[in-house]
Amino acid sequence: MLNTGSMKLIKLEVTRAMRNKKYLFFTVLYPAALFLMLGGTLSGSTKVMGTELTMPAFYMVAMASFGALTAVLVGNSERIAKERESGWVRQLRLTALPGRGYVLAKTASAGVLSLPAILVVFAVAAGVKGVRFDLWQWFALTGAIWAGSLVFAALGVAIGYLASGDNVRPITMLFYFALSILGGLWMPTAAFPQWLRSVCEWLPTHAYAGLGQAIELGGAPHAKDVAILAVYFVLFTGAAAWLYRKDSLKA
C-alpha cells in the first residue's frame, strides 16, 4: 500500500513531468502522429495480416501501447539515474519513505503519466479514421492498456538503478526499441519468420498488445497474455527492489 510519503512523491513526479515539454511531445503527440503515418494511410477495411483487425484498429492499440511504454520506460529510467547522481535519492532515504514505498511510488507515478498518451491516440483514431467501438470496449481498452503499462514502469525503475547517468540512455533505448519492434507494436509479428514469432510470443510487449487486440475483437484478454504480464511485473518489480537496496548499501 502507498503511504502519505509515497502519495506526495507521486504528486511531485506527475507535476514535474507535466511541465516537461519533451514529455508532452514524445509521449503524448508522437504516438498519435505515428498512428496517422502507419495506420492512418490505408483503408479502414484493410485487414492486418494474421489478425481480424483493420489497420486503424490494430495500430490504434499498438500506438497507444507504444505511447504508454514511452512514458513509463524511457522517462522513468533516465530520471531515476540522474536523481541518483544528483543526490536526490540519497536525500529521500533520510525521510520516513521506505524503500518499497519509493519503488511503488515511481511505478505508480509513471503509470499516471501513461494515461494521456493512450487517450490522445484513441481520440485521433476515432476523430480522424472513424474507429468505432462499443462504450464498454473503450473503457476496457483504456483500463487494460493503462494497467499493462505498470509492467514497463517497473522495468524503468530497475534500469534506472542498474545504469549510471552516462549509459542509461543507450541501455534504455536497447530495451525500448527491441521490445517495441519484436513485440509487434510497430508491425504485426505475423510478418516475422516462424522461429522469431515463437520467441516474440513470450515477450511482455507482445502480450501487452494482445490485451487490447482481444478487447477490440469483442472478447476478454487471453489468460496467457495476462499471465505473461503478471510474471514480468513480479520479475521487474523484484529486480527494482533488489537494485534499490543494493544502491542503498553503497550510499
Side-chain angles (χ1 to χ4, degrees):
M1 295 294 291
L2 296 174
N3 58 19
T4 303
S6 299
M7 294 302 296
K8 289 182 178 179
L9 181 58
I10 292 174
K11 183 179 179 180
L12 175 62
E13 292 293 325
V14 172
T15 301
R16 289 170 59 191
M18 289 300 181
R19 292 174 178 172
N20 189 324
K21 294 180 179 179
K22 288 195 299 182
Y23 160 78
L24 294 176
F25 175 76
F26 285 106
T27 66
V28 178
L29 301 179
Y30 181 54
L34 281 180
F35 164 78
L36 293 175
M37 292 171 58
L38 297 173
T41 57
L42 297 178
S43 168
S45 61
T46 303
K47 295 291 182 68
V48 176
M49 180 173 56
T51 76
E52 292 299 317
L53 296 171
T54 63
M55 289 290 289
F58 175 87
Y59 276 106
M60 183 187 79
V61 162
M63 288 300 105
S65 301
F66 176 69
L69 175 67
T70 304
V72 301
L73 178 59
V74 178
N76 223 18
S77 60
E78 294 188 6
R79 192 178 304 114
I80 290 173
K82 291 177 181 178
E83 287 176 355
R84 288 170 55 216
E85 290 196 344
S86 68
W88 170 245
V89 174
R90 189 179 303 110
Q91 291 297 319
L92 286 177
R93 293 196 186 103
L94 300 177
T95 68
L97 181 66
R100 67 179 182 278
Y102 174 83
V103 172
L104 290 175
K106 282 291 188 180
T107 301
S109 61
V112 172
L113 296 174
S114 69
L115 190 57
I118 298 169
L119 296 178
V120 169
V121 171
F122 285 179
V124 171
V128 178
K129 293 301 295 182
V131 176
R132 296 290 183 268
F133 291 106
D134 292 338
L135 184 61
W136 74 266
Q137 287 175 296
W138 286 114
F139 279 107
L141 284 168
T142 303
I145 296 174
W146 176 82
S149 71
L150 297 178
V151 175
F152 306 100
L155 174 60
V157 176
I159 295 176
Y161 276 97
L162 177 66
S164 66
D166 292 332
N167 58 30
V168 65
R169 180 174 286 271
I171 292 175
T172 301
M173 289 298 108
L174 178 63
F175 279 95
Y176 178 58
F177 287 113
L179 289 174
S180 297
I181 296 171
L182 297 178
L185 299 185
W186 283 13
M187 65 189 75
T189 57
F192 296 167
Q194 179 58 49
W195 68 268
L196 185 56
R197 291 204 303 270
S198 299
V199 174
C200 294
E201 288 178 358
W202 296 99
L203 293 177
T205 37
H206 187 277
Y208 186 34
L211 298 180
Q213 292 168 8
I215 293 170
E216 286 184 319
L217 292 172
H222 300 145
K224 178 183 176 182
D225 292 334
V226 175
I228 288 174
L229 288 172
V231 170
Y232 274 107
F233 181 72
V234 171
L235 290 175
F236 293 155
T237 303
W242 180 77
L243 288 167
Y244 178 86
R245 289 194 297 268
K246 182 180 179 182
D247 189 70
S248 300
L249 296 176
K250 294 179 181 179

